[in-house]
């Protein structure tokens, strides 16, 4: 399972954009996504990935969130 792909699908749902528009360097700020929405997306991903992903560090880009999720899934 590819975390980046799953995350971009969730981002596409939240922003109305095409998933192909997102890169690891895409910032949530540039998408108009605030920290509350980021937490909501992480909660959605928790359900889809069947994992606990308590967001305990600040993430500002898609790549940072992917790395965070992959680290949590490896624990």
């Amino acid at each position: 399972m590819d975390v980046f792909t799953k995350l971009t699908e969730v981002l596409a749902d939240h922003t109305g954009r095409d998933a192909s528009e997102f890169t690891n360097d895409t910032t949530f700020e540039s998408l108009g996504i605030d920290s509350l929405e980021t937490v909501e997306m992480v909660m959605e991903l928790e359900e889809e990935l069947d994992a606990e992903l308590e967001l305990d560090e600040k993430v500002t880009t898609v790549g940072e969130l992917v790395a965070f999720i992959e680290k949590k899934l490896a624990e």
Side-chain angles (χ1 to χ4, degrees), residues 8-72:
T8 57
E9 289 171 0
V10 171
L11 279 170
D13 287 343
H14 279 259
T15 63
R17 297 178 187 212
D18 190 84
S20 65
E21 292 182 41
F22 308 116
T23 69
N24 281 324
D25 296 326
T26 302
T27 65
F28 296 115
E29 183 180 0
S30 72
L31 299 173
I33 296 175
D34 63 20
S35 58
L36 179 59
E37 286 178 288
T38 303
V39 170
E40 290 173 358
M41 287 188 308
V42 169
M43 290 170 48
E44 187 175 330
L45 287 164
E46 281 182 320
E47 290 180 25
E48 293 190 27
L49 299 172
D50 193 30
E52 190 167 323
L53 303 171
E54 186 174 332
L55 193 56
D56 56 5
E57 57 191 67
K58 184 171 174 61
V59 293
T60 59
T61 67
V62 170
E64 287 175 0
L65 186 53
V66 168
F68 170 81
I69 292 168
E70 288 174 342
K71 181 177 83 173
K72 290 293 188 178

